[in-house]
């Protein structure tokens, strides 16, 4: 049973995760580098100190890491050794692979990549795919954008700058012609139209999570792309590659945030499409199914939360609800694509995606 949950990292997303879990009936302890007053117990300390983490999470049934990806290994190691259920939001592939390496001996849940992308988008894509007998392609697209973009870049850094930079520069795992391959980020540019608005989409790293492994040999084409306003990719390629900002990722992120700080009036687009064949009577019919949604800021507990914040926080909170209700395996590595969309949307937090 999961009753007591420790949430590490009380930034914009982490604080909302803690609030949502408290609203869902869990006893929550927040752990952060700074003191906070959020209406539940909080502890401050050095979140890069393994001994501090190990000591602080003892006595909890589950730990949720909302920390930068480079701090997650210490957290999952401490959770693994103490047989505490573990959940995080990481899009970092090496971190997820490290977690997977622990899973064979795990006596508790190890569930990384529980955010929006990776996370919710994989749940949606896999849900569409279940209706097909033979799949030709699975295409997943997500974009977190300002509703009223300003400037040529047409973007605002409402998410971790470090995470965005890694997504733009790290290689991307895809399936093409039935084989798992690595391709460069910021490639394979395409046009995409949602609600009558024209955007561009291009490859970025990490959004598929473990889907390539799950769908290897089952699909000809599987890829993830980020949605942006037209012209964005060309400018980012110039910034990172021609100006060589790729060689200093920390500075690159700082410059971008300084130029395009977060905005409150954002929108999150989620697009998933599966193309293939379904059984209809004694024959197979060629079909194309889509899930297309636009999510906007939402008022939760009297506070207006950005779309990127609540869609990310609600996803991980819904997965924890499912685990607590026994709707997920109670130990080992949990892939997002193995989570039922129907059960996900039945949870208190998952229901916010349809309300």
């Amino acid at each position: 049973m999961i009753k007591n949950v420790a949430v590490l990292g009380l930034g914009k997303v982490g604080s909302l995760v803690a609030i949502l879990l408290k609203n869902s009936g869990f006893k929550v302890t927040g752990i952060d580098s700074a003191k906070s007053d959020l209406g539940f117990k909080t502890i401050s300390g050095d979140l890069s100190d393994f001994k501090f983490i190990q000591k602080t999470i003892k006595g909890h049934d589950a730990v949720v890491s909302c920390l930068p990806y480079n701090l997650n290994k210490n957290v999952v190691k401490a959770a693994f050794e103490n047989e505490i259920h573990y959940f995080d939001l990481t899009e970092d592939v090496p971190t997820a692979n490290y977690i997977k390496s622990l899973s064979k001996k795990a006596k508790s849940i190890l569930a990384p990549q529980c955010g929006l992308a990776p996370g919710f988008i994989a749940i949606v894509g896999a849900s569409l795919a279940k209706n097909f007998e033979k799949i030709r392609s699975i295409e997943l697209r997500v974009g977190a954008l300002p509703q009223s973009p300003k400037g040529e870049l047409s973007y605002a850094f409402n998410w971790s700058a470090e995470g965005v930079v890694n997504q733009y520069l790290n290689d991307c795992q895809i399936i093409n012609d039935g084989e798992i391959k690595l391709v460069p980020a910021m490639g394979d540019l395409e046009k995409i139209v949602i609600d009558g608005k024209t955007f561009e989409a291009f490859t970025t790293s990490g959004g598929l999570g473990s889907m390539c492994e799950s769908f290897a040999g089952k699909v000809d084409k599987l890829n993830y792309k980020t949605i942006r306003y037209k012209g964005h990719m060309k400018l980012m390629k110039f910034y990172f590659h021609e100006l060589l900002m790729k060689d200093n990722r920390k500075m690159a992120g700082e410059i971008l945030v300084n130029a395009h700080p977060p905005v409150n009036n954002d929108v999150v687009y989620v697009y998933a499409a599966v193309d293939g064949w379904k059984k209809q009577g004694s024959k197979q019919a060629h079909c194309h199914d889509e899930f297309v949604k636009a999510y906007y800021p939402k008022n939760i507990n009297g506070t207006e939360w950005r779309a990127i914040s609540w869609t990310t926080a609600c996803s991980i909170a819904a997965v924890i609800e499912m685990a607590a209700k026994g709707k997920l395996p109670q130990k080992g590595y949990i892939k997002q694509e193995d989570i039922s969309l129907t059960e996900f949307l039945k949870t208190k937090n998952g229901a916010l995606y349809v309300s």
Side-chain angles (χ1 to χ4, degrees):
M1 297 296 293
I2 299 176
K3 295 181 178 179
N4 301 316
V5 182
V7 178
L8 278 69
L10 299 176
K12 294 179 179 65
V13 173
S15 59
L16 181 55
V17 170
I19 290 167
L20 292 171
L21 291 174
K22 182 185 177 186
N23 289 350
S24 302
F26 296 96
K27 182 180 179 181
V28 175
T29 300
I31 306 171
D32 197 73
S33 57
K35 292 183 178 180
S36 303
D37 184 10
L38 296 170
F40 50 83
K41 180 183 177 182
T42 59
I43 299 170
S44 60
D46 183 359
L47 293 171
S48 65
D49 183 350
F50 176 74
K51 290 183 179 180
F52 168 75
I53 293 171
Q54 193 173 46
K55 178 182 176 181
T56 309
I57 66 172
K58 282 184 178 178
H60 294 90
D61 306 312
V63 58
V64 184
S65 179
C66 299
L67 299 171
Y69 75 90
N70 59 301
L71 297 178
N72 281 339
K73 285 187 178 180
N74 273 347
V75 182
V76 71
K77 186 173 183 289
F80 170 79
E81 290 180 357
N82 287 280
E83 299 179 11
I84 297 171
H85 299 307
Y86 172 87
F87 306 84
D88 75 26
L89 301 168
T90 189
E91 72 280 353
D92 183 63
V93 175
T95 300
N97 288 339
Y98 171 75
I99 294 169
K100 192 179 298 182
S101 73
L102 299 175
S103 62
K104 291 182 180 179
K105 297 182 179 179
K107 296 183 179 180
S108 58
I109 293 169
L110 300 182
Q113 304 175 323
C114 297
L116 179 61
F120 180 62
I121 188 63
I123 298 171
V124 171
S127 174
L128 292 179
K130 287 178 181 177
N131 298 318
F132 288 76
E133 284 206 329
K134 181 182 177 182
I135 305 169
R136 181 161 69 182
S137 65
I138 302 174
E139 298 178 304
L140 307 179
R141 312 286 184 259
V142 174
L145 300 168
Q147 291 186 46
S148 304
K150 180 182 178 183
E152 293 296 318
L153 203 58
S154 300
Y155 192 62
F157 282 83
N158 281 11
W159 188 247
S160 157
E162 188 176 37
V164 173
V165 169
N166 285 343
Q167 288 175 349
Y168 282 16
L169 293 178
N170 294 345
D171 285 342
C172 315
Q173 192 178 59
I174 65 167
I175 294 177
N176 191 42
D177 292 332
E179 297 181 2
I180 297 177
K181 299 178 180 178
L182 282 178
V183 298
M186 293 193 287
D188 197 15
L189 184 68
E190 68 181 22
K191 180 177 80 171
I192 183 169
V193 179
I194 300 175
D195 295 337
K197 300 176 182 178
T198 301
F199 303 91
E200 66 181 29
F202 50 88
T203 53
T204 53
S205 174
L208 287 178
S210 56
M211 285 194 73
C212 284
E213 177 187 323
S214 295
F215 283 89
K218 301 176 183 177
V219 61
D220 291 334
K221 179 181 177 182
L222 167 63
N223 61 43
Y224 170 85
K225 295 182 181 181
T226 288
I227 299 169
R228 295 289 184 258
Y229 291 109
K230 292 174 69 176
H232 179 89
M233 189 194 81
K234 182 179 179 180
L235 290 171
M236 295 307 293
K237 289 188 79 169
F238 172 79
Y239 177 70
F240 282 115
H241 296 291
E242 290 200 35
L243 298 184
L244 300 179
M245 292 307 298
K246 64 182 179 63
D247 297 331
N248 192 333
R249 296 191 181 197
K250 186 174 184 297
M251 181 184 291
E254 290 171 352
I255 290 172
L256 289 169
V257 173
N258 182 60
H260 292 274
V263 297
N264 292 324
N265 200 29
D266 67 335
V267 56
V268 167
Y269 292 104
V270 174
Y271 171 95
V274 178
D275 187 285
W277 290 265
K278 296 180 182 180
K279 188 173 182 180
Q280 291 188 358
S282 60
K283 299 181 179 180
Q284 284 189 338
H286 189 189
C287 302
H288 181 89
D289 287 356
E290 294 181 343
F291 177 102
V292 185
K293 296 284 186 181
Y295 297 106
Y296 295 90
K298 186 181 288 286
N299 190 289
I300 299 173
N301 277 25
T303 299
E304 192 81 359
W305 292 91
R306 294 171 180 148
I308 184 60
S309 297
W310 77 258
T311 52
T312 301
C314 283
S315 183
I316 195 168
V319 172
I320 294 166
E321 281 189 81
M322 290 181 67
K325 294 175 181 176
K327 300 294 184 179
L328 296 174
Q330 294 300 292
K331 66 177 182 178
Y333 193 90
I334 292 180
K335 298 178 180 179
Q336 298 301 303
E337 58 269 24
D338 290 339
I339 295 172
S340 163
L341 178 62
T342 301
E343 294 297 330
F344 179 97
L345 296 176
K346 286 180 182 178
T347 65
K348 181 173 183 175
N349 292 290
L352 293 175
Y353 284 91
V354 292
S355 63

